[in-house]
Amino acid sequence: MGTYYSEKEALLTFYTYWEKFHPGLEDFHKSWLLKNGEIIPMTRGQILSETPHMQSTLYIVLVGILAKERYCPDRDERLIMTVALPHMGFFTTMHFFSRSPALGDIVCLKSGLVLKIPYKAIGPYRNQEKAIDTLIDLLVNKKKYQLDHLRVMDSLLISTDRYFYFADQLPQLCHTLSQTEQARLLRMSVRSIRRAKQLYVRSK
């Protein structure tokens, strides 16, 4: 049997998280979330959005893990571009106001629940409703924080240095992803990941 996730509990946890960054959420905000947000069960390996297919949707992870993936012909494997842990999300376009599809497929790495909100439910309140602006800005800033570190990591030519930087700067991601997933994110072999992890543990 699969793991059971309470949709009500997951949504309440997310609402509490949102309220932490914007105290004083009102009944309107809860109603907006319930009316426009669709909770979708997701299973490992499921593709929520593929690059060629245009969507205007925001996916927020409630439980589980999502990733942006792309196929790399040179390595003949699907590489992980970026990851969304609980309370992080992905836009299906380059950014909220863009009409260009985001690069990479949105794929489930760990089964759970995702909250799907269409852009059309957000648009009328953008720059009008501070609580919703706070939510979108929070998701964008989390994504930017991770991407900034991944860019620095990609510039490190020595694989061990790359892993050390990853473990120090993105510890939650390091602890959550499997070694195979880390290898696809860091552009390293699983063997190199294991060796670097051993060296990292010894250094502490």
Side-chain angles (χ1 to χ4, degrees), residues 3-19 30 33-34 37-42 60-65 85-88 111-117 135:
T3 304
Y4 173 74
Y5 304 103
S6 167
E7 294 187 3
K8 182 178 180 181
E9 184 177 342
L11 194 61
L12 179 60
T13 300
F14 175 72
Y15 186 83
T16 302
Y17 172 79
W18 182 12
E19 191 169 35
K30 184 177 290 186
L33 198 61
L34 292 173
E38 177 186 1
I39 299 179
I40 302 174
M42 58 178 182
I60 301 174
V61 179
L62 299 179
V63 180
I65 306 174
L85 300 175
H87 302 160
M88 296 176 66
S111 300
L113 299 171
V114 66
L115 181 64
K116 180 180 178 181
I117 304 177
L135 174 60

Side-chain angles (χ1 to χ4, degrees), residues 36-60:
N36 298 291
E38 177 186 1
I39 299 179
I40 302 174
M42 58 178 182
T43 56
R44 182 177 175 82
Q46 178 181 350
I47 299 177
L48 277 71
S49 176
E50 295 182 280
T51 302
H53 304 290
M54 180 63 183
Q55 289 189 38
S56 295
T57 304
L58 168 62
Y59 288 104
I60 301 174

Side-chain angles (χ1 to χ4, degrees), residues 76-146:
D76 190 27
E77 66 176 328
R78 291 182 64 83
L79 299 179
I80 296 175
M81 301 165 63
T82 182
V83 178
L85 300 175
H87 302 160
M88 296 176 66
F90 286 130
F91 295 96
T92 55
T93 56
M94 296 298 286
H95 54 79
F96 178 74
F97 296 104
S98 173
R99 291 179 175 270
S100 301
L103 301 177
D105 303 332
I106 300 177
V107 181
C108 176
L109 290 185
K110 182 179 179 181
S111 300
L113 299 171
V114 66
L115 181 64
K116 180 180 178 181
I117 304 177
Y119 286 7
K120 64 182 180 180
I122 302 171
Y125 302 102
R126 203 70 174 105
N127 301 318
Q128 301 292 328
E129 178 57 54
K130 288 186 177 180
I132 294 176
D133 282 342
T134 296
L135 174 60
I136 301 303
D137 291 344
L138 179 62
L139 295 171
V140 170
N141 289 337
K142 278 194 163 191
K143 177 183 176 183
K144 183 178 182 299
Y145 177 85
Q146 185 184 114

